[in-house]
Amino acid sequence: MKVYKFGGASIKDADSIKNVANILQQEGTNNCLLVVSAMGKMTNAFENIVNAYFDDEQKIQETILFVTNFHSEIAQNLFPENHKTHQEITILLGKIVGFLAQNKSKDYDYLYDQIVCYGELLATTILSSYLNHVGIENTWKDVRTLIKTDSIFRDATVNWEETEQQINSQIDSSKLTIVQGFLGGDSKGNTTTLGREGSDYTAGIFAYCLNADKVTIWKDVQGVLNADPRVFQETQLLEQISYEETIEMAFYGASVIHPKTIQPLQSKEIPLFVRSFINPDLKGTKISRGVAINPHIPCFIVKKNQVFISISTLDFSFMVEDNISHIFKLLHQYQLRVNLIQNSAISFSVCVDNKFNHFDAFYDSIKSSFKVSFVKEVDLYTVRHFTNETLNTIDQLGKSLITQINKETAQIVVKQN
Ligand code: ASP
Ligand code: MG
């Protein structure tokens, strides 16, 4: 049994859907389960519907029209005029309008999941129909009856026992099945989601429950690279890495694979392959147990828009547990995610993510109790398997505010020139 995950970029238009069919023809479709996420950037487009519903009702129609046109156009390029898929798409889109008209809930997260799920439902409907249309027989399944979760909308937790039972009783592993990534269902019949980019995790869940031999995530890059090609000019393919290495890289912010994906695979030693849907003849990256990173080269991860904060006591007393715990409480309260910590006798420094733009509020609440200085808009570079040469290269990017070195990992906070 193998599990394949096709993400948004691999099904962003009619041609890419045809490409998926070609890949499947080449790879074979027996004993295969496909996990599919929303097409292209559709999840963002569905988020716009939710936001319009809450903030700007006049925009609802326009945002629904946008997703309608997107999917209809793709279907027009894939199917003859009177094919049943056109109607299936209309029905699914009609459900969004119907749901919004009847909804009374003001719970943003609940509504989000009930609307955004249509990205995956439409994508799998179109892909499944197209594959059947070109002779690749498959069964479409509603994943909300398979992956059972609690009711924490937008960040649901999987009920493994129930999920395993549903998957094993509903999936015929000798055939080709298509399911939606990212979605789950709670016990009350509501849709839940597993967090943005959660489709990788869905693939991990299915692989675990079905005791799959392998998982392949098809991406628009060759495999796992030693740096993000959107940030670094020269990147190299990692042919082989361990589960642990992947988790470490995700922890420091690499956006290779959704971090929750690895654990279920690791516990059953199911290898994960990352391959290119543009170049399916390439081998890609293999992630498996305990293997040495190959090639053994430095791996770079950069986090932008960080704030470097140095905090010391007003009376020059030591920085110890009680003031540090007070600081952490505030950091947590203002959703400033800590990416690096350095502590000395009288000062405590952290590099935080200012994703929610709450830094100024945090500063206002702390400045009367401590002496605080900060530098905004700094970059945090993390280098796994660093060499002196790589550290020098980063030093030259700007003024380095702090360098922290552990066994295999160096972290440097840089204020760009
Ligand atoms: N479509 C969802 C998202 O964009 C899930 C995924 O792509 O993995 O977040
Ligand atoms: Mg996506």
Side-chain angles (χ1 to χ4, degrees):
M1 178 93 202
K2 59 195 179 198
V3 174
Y4 284 167
K5 183 246 164 171
F6 286 98
S10 68
I11 48 164
K12 67 180 197 306
D13 52 26
D15 281 341
S16 42
I17 289 177
K18 292 177 184 170
N19 179 52
V20 170
N22 290 337
I23 291 177
L24 293 173
Q25 251 142 7
Q26 211 170 315
E27 299 278 321
T29 53
N30 287 337
N31 310 84
C32 186
L33 180 122
L34 300 191
V35 173
V36 179
S37 56
M39 295 175 159
K41 301 253 178 275
M42 275 296 111
T43 300
N44 296 349
F46 282 93
E47 283 181 347
N48 292 340
I49 300 178
V50 182
N51 293 336
Y53 179 81
F54 279 102
D55 301 334
D56 191 356
E57 275 193 34
Q58 293 194 323
K59 287 230 170 90
I60 295 180
Q61 229 189 340
E62 178 189 324
T63 52
I64 294 181
L65 191 64
F66 183 75
V67 301
T68 304
N69 290 343
F70 180 91
H71 292 95
S72 308
E73 239 175 71
I74 291 181
Q76 272 156 23
N77 285 317
L78 293 174
F79 304 104
E81 215 173 296
N82 51 9
H83 196 271
K84 69 173 181 21
T85 310
H86 301 297
Q87 209 198 340
E88 286 170 2
I89 293 173
T90 309
I91 292 171
L92 282 169
L93 291 161
K95 285 188 183 173
I96 299 178
V97 180
F99 176 83
L100 290 178
Q102 289 197 339
N103 174 64
K104 296 208 168 51
S105 170
K106 293 205 164 32
D107 179 344
Y108 181 92
D109 292 351
Y110 161 77
L111 206 99
Y112 180 102
D113 285 359
Q114 310 321 302
I115 298 298
V116 165
C117 63
Y118 284 95
E120 271 70 18
L121 292 168
L122 284 156
T124 49
T125 300
I126 293 171
L127 181 66
S128 167
S129 294
Y130 180 72
L131 295 178
N132 277 323
H133 180 63
V134 296
I136 303 176
E137 236 179 85
N138 69 89
T139 309
W140 181 95
K141 281 271 185 196
D142 187 333
V143 81
R144 296 171 297 184
T145 69
L146 296 162
I147 294 191
K148 302 312 293 181
T149 70
D150 62 10
S151 303
I152 307 295
F153 299 105
R154 295 182 70 194
D155 190 23
T157 299
V158 174
N159 177 332
W160 283 94
E161 212 174 301
E162 246 187 275
T163 298
E164 200 164 6
Q165 195 191 332
Q166 290 299 338
I167 288 178
N168 282 304
S169 63
Q170 291 193 53
I171 301 291
D172 177 351
S173 57
S174 68
K175 301 236 170 80
L176 175 63
T177 307
I178 300 190
V179 297
Q180 305 75 40
F182 176 52
L183 315 182
D186 73 4
S187 59
K188 301 181 200 87
N190 299 310
T191 305
T192 56
T193 60
L194 306 173
R196 284 300 308 260
E197 309 301 327
S199 295
D200 292 349
Y201 182 39
T202 306
I205 296 168
F206 275 96
Y208 177 92
C209 294
L210 293 164
N211 289 315
D213 303 308
K214 63 173 178 181
V215 174
T216 305
I217 294 181
W218 297 89
K219 293 186 81 123
D220 56 0
V221 284
Q222 273 183 67
V224 179
L225 305 174
N226 73 325
D228 185 339
R230 289 167 301 187
V231 186
F232 294 89
Q233 273 176 352
E234 280 172 42
T235 59
Q236 247 179 292
L237 177 74
L238 301 173
E239 287 169 28
Q240 175 180 295
I241 46 179
S242 65
Y243 297 121
E244 292 79 5
E245 181 71 40
T246 314
I247 290 170
E248 290 282 349
M249 295 208 307
F251 174 79
Y252 290 112
S255 56
V256 241
I257 291 150
H258 192 282
K260 282 185 182 170
T261 315
I262 300 300
Q263 226 194 353
L265 300 181
Q266 186 175 22
S267 73
K268 289 199 175 174
E269 294 189 18
I270 301 167
L272 170 63
F273 294 84
V274 180
R275 289 174 63 187
S276 159
F277 61 77
I278 298 161
N279 243 324
D281 294 331
L282 301 178
K283 271 173 65 188
T285 302
K286 179 180 182 181
I287 300 165
S288 58
R289 193 182 95 114
V291 293
I293 182 168
N294 178 29
H296 195 284
I297 48 173
C299 299
F300 296 85
I301 301 145
V302 59
K303 286 193 173 194
K304 304 231 162 214
N305 191 24
Q306 310 281 302
V307 186
F308 184 65
I309 316 169
S310 292
I311 304 168
S312 51
T313 52
L314 291 169
D315 57 3
F316 291 102
S317 60
F318 289 159
M319 265 294 176
V320 289
E321 293 81 359
D322 64 343
N323 27 37
I324 292 176
S325 81
H326 177 63
I327 294 166
F328 263 101
K329 225 189 220 152
L330 289 173
L331 289 167
H332 178 70
Q333 187 182 330
Y334 290 98
Q335 292 174 288
L336 294 165
R337 224 206 108 178
V338 177
N339 289 320
L340 178 140
I341 304 167
Q342 187 126 311
N343 192 23
S344 75
I346 52 158
S347 111
F348 177 76
S349 308
V350 282
C351 181
V352 300
D353 215 310
N354 192 21
K355 194 161 68 185
F356 300 99
N357 271 317
H358 294 165
F359 173 75
D360 294 338
F362 164 80
Y363 179 64
D364 282 339
S365 75
I366 198 174
K367 67 180 182 210
S368 58
S369 335
F370 293 95
K371 184 169 167 260
V372 182
S373 65
F374 59 86
V375 188
K376 283 186 174 179
E377 281 168 41
V378 298
D379 302 329
L380 171 63
Y381 286 85
T382 301
V383 191
R384 299 267 304 149
H385 319 290
F386 61 92
T387 60
N388 286 337
E389 200 189 322
T390 52
L391 297 187
N392 288 337
T393 320
I394 291 175
D395 265 347
Q396 279 156 23
L397 295 172
K399 182 173 182 306
S400 69
L401 302 174
I402 201 166
T403 300
Q404 205 170 68
I405 292 186
N406 291 316
K407 223 165 87 200
E408 286 288 337
T409 311
Q411 290 194 286
I412 307 171
V413 177
V414 178
K415 177 70 183 170
Q416 291 250 11
N417 291 327

